[in-house]
Amino acid sequence: VYLPPPARIHFHINAISTPDQTTTFDVTCKEAAQVHKAIMRSIAARPRPYDLEYLLDMLASYRDVKERPCQKCGKLLDNRAIFPVVRRKKSTKNDAGELESTWEALHEACV
């Protein structure tokens, strides 16, 4: 999976079958900068490692990683000059009363 500029991140997804016939999805990243390592920590900690749709939606939420400020502190960069890389899926009701899912962006220190 490739996220175009401004993100410019290459993800590789591996399907891993377990003895109990479930599949989990492991993600690697070609880039090795601190921001990419932080993104990988957030992806590894996701709550549903078996849910491919959730994973792809989460990966897509990083398309604006270099533009979206932290939901909690309002800053783009934290004290270590890292973008808000933690993603939390949040469901809210829109004006029509329907549930919509959005991804909150947070710094690791703001979680």
Side-chain angles (χ1 to χ4, degrees):
V1 176
Y2 174 69
L3 297 180
R8 296 180 194 225
I9 305 171
H10 292 89
F11 295 107
H12 184 18
I13 302 170
N14 299 306
I16 302 168
S17 295
T18 62
D20 64 353
Q21 303 301 318
T22 58
T23 301
T24 60
F25 298 95
D26 183 47
V27 180
T28 57
C29 179
K30 286 176 40 175
E31 295 80 12
Q34 288 298 334
V35 67
H36 299 108
K37 291 176 184 177
I39 288 170
M40 294 310 300
R41 285 192 298 273
S42 180
I43 292 169
R46 71 188 183 279
R48 298 174 0 205
Y50 53 84
D51 188 339
L52 182 59
E53 182 179 357
Y54 184 92
L55 173 61
L56 293 173
D57 196 29
M58 183 180 193
L59 294 179
S61 76
Y62 287 103
R63 70 188 175 283
D64 62 354
V65 68
K66 296 179 181 177
E67 300 170 342
R68 191 183 338 174
C70 176
Q71 188 78 25
K72 185 173 181 182
C73 73
K75 297 178 183 176
L76 185 59
L77 298 173
D78 66 8
N79 293 341
R80 300 177 313 159
I82 300 290
F83 295 100
V85 297
V86 175
R87 294 293 189 262
R88 284 191 185 159
K89 195 167 191 174
K90 183 177 180 181
S91 294
T92 56
K93 286 189 178 183
N94 63 17
D95 293 339
E98 301 166 336
L99 281 179
E100 284 184 342
S101 292
T102 58
W103 288 91
E104 293 182 328
L106 299 158
H107 294 116
E108 289 178 300
C110 291
V111 175

